[in-house]
């Protein structure tokens, strides 16, 4: 469980206790919902309202925020703009992250074109592939370079995160190359679990797992409706 530091009232605050991964996983969801509320010009929200959107209890919302000092007042709720700002700081969204994308196939191109990343401070600065038919083409005015140029690019440009969208058989070598070049963040879409050194952070993404979760929920609801139908007969 990671230790967390953030800004509160203009001062850096370090959490003495370790925050569970479950809480950390909920923070981006809080951030997304609060962003939506701000766009709707809603200035204040209660733990009850947040809990409905999050699918958890109001007490869990308050407990989550208590890990970071509270942020709200009883009977007053949470100021949306302030809470959004503080959660953004906790997540590290108060500065720009430069990303290189390795693997310019269909998934890589879709990610490179995703507009919401830039809004959150994640900007793609380089795209790489080994397919000669892709080299020289442009995605959002970024020219696809050959994978062999990655080392020179990283030496000449600051890179925080490598986005891995290569076939899984190449993923381990590509991630090792990124780590050797000093890249400290890996966003891995290669459908294989990869380990990295302790000073490197990795997020292994498995899109099929999300689909299987959806299939399970659909199956559960279908069975529930079937039982309701039999009970009413």
């Amino acid at each position: 469980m990671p230790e967390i530091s953030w800004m509160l009232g203009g001062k850096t605050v370090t959490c003495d206790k370790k925050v569970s991964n479950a809480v950390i996983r909920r923070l981006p969801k809080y951030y997304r919902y609060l962003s939506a509320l701000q766009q709707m010009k809603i200035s204040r929200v209660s733990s009850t309202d947040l809990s409905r959107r999050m699918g958890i209890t109001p007490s869990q919302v308050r407990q989550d925020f208590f890990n970071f000092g509270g942020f709200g007042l009883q009977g007053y709720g949470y100021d949306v703009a302030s809470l959004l700002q503080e959660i953004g700081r906790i997540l590290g969204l108060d500065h720009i992250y430069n990303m290189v994308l390795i693997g310019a196939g269909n998934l890589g191109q879709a990610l490179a074109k995703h507009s919401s990343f830039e809004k959150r401070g994640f900007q793609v600065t380089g795209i790489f592939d080994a397919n000669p038919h892709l080299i020289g083409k442009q995605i959002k005015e970024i020219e696809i370079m050959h994978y062999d140029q990655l080392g020179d690019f990283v030496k000449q440009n600051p890179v925080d995160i490598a986005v891995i969208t290569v076939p899984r058989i190449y993923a381990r070598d590509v991630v090792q190359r990124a780590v050797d070049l000093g890249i400290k963040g890996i966003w891995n879409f290669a459908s294989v679990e990869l380990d990295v050194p302790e000073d490197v952070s990795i997020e292994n993404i498995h899109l099929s797992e999300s689909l299987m979760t959806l299939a399970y929920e659909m199956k559960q609801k279908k069975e529930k409706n079937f039982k309701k139908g039999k009970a009413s007969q």
Side-chain angles (χ1 to χ4, degrees):
M1 292 184 286
E3 294 181 347
I4 302 292
S5 296
W6 70 98
M7 295 293 294
L8 187 60
K11 297 180 180 179
T12 301
V13 179
T14 300
C15 191
D16 293 330
K17 59 182 177 179
K18 292 185 177 181
V19 180
S20 73
N21 285 324
V23 174
I24 299 302
R25 293 286 179 183
R26 282 194 289 271
L27 288 180
K29 197 172 181 181
Y30 283 122
Y31 191 89
R32 178 160 52 87
Y33 284 135
L34 289 165
S35 296
L37 291 175
Q38 189 175 60
Q39 290 174 2
M40 292 186 287
K41 302 190 183 303
I42 296 173
S43 60
R44 199 162 305 285
V45 64
S46 68
S47 57
T48 301
D49 290 335
L50 273 178
S51 70
R52 291 196 192 104
R53 291 173 175 267
M54 294 287 295
I56 57 179
T57 65
S59 62
Q60 183 65 69
V61 172
R62 292 190 291 270
Q63 185 177 339
D64 285 353
F65 294 158
F66 183 74
N67 284 288
F68 308 102
F71 302 138
L73 296 174
Q74 188 172 1
Y76 184 75
Y78 302 98
D79 181 86
V80 170
S82 297
L83 184 56
L84 181 65
Q85 183 180 48
E86 295 299 341
I87 290 178
R89 286 173 175 168
I90 293 168
L91 288 169
L93 302 182
D94 51 346
H95 71 276
I96 301 298
Y97 292 90
N98 295 307
M99 305 193 300
V100 292
L101 193 149
I102 306 173
N106 292 334
L107 177 56
Q109 291 185 35
L111 290 172
K113 294 174 183 176
H114 206 301
S115 61
S116 69
F117 296 150
E118 290 183 4
K119 295 176 183 177
R120 297 288 186 260
F122 301 91
Q123 57 183 19
V124 176
T125 57
I127 304 173
F128 299 85
D129 203 287
N131 185 343
H133 298 293
L134 295 174
I135 309 305
K137 293 184 177 181
Q138 290 193 345
I139 303 175
K140 293 185 70 174
E141 300 182 354
I142 299 175
E143 184 175 314
I144 300 173
M145 292 174 278
H146 196 281
Y147 176 62
D148 291 343
Q149 297 176 266
L150 177 63
D152 290 337
F153 183 88
V154 174
K155 289 176 184 177
Q156 297 169 14
N157 301 274
V159 176
D160 304 296
I161 298 171
V163 184
I164 310 300
T165 54
V166 300
R168 60 186 299 165
I169 59 173
Y170 305 118
R172 196 172 304 279
D173 289 340
V174 170
V175 167
Q176 187 60 57
R177 174 69 170 145
V179 170
D180 290 344
L181 289 171
I183 299 174
K184 297 300 184 182
I186 306 294
W187 200 21
N188 172 36
F189 285 83
S191 298
V192 58
E193 293 287 328
L194 298 174
D195 296 322
V196 293
E198 286 189 3
D199 64 335
V200 177
S201 299
I202 187 167
E203 183 76 5
N204 292 303
I205 305 298
H206 298 279
L207 297 177
S208 61
E209 289 182 6
S210 181
L211 270 178
M212 287 187 279
T213 300
L214 174 62
Y216 171 78
E217 292 179 357
M218 292 172 65
K219 175 176 172 287
Q220 292 296 104
K221 290 182 178 181
K222 183 177 180 180
E223 291 176 353
K224 184 178 179 180
N225 291 335
F226 178 74
K227 290 178 182 177
K228 280 184 178 179
K230 288 192 68 176
S232 62
Q233 290 178 356

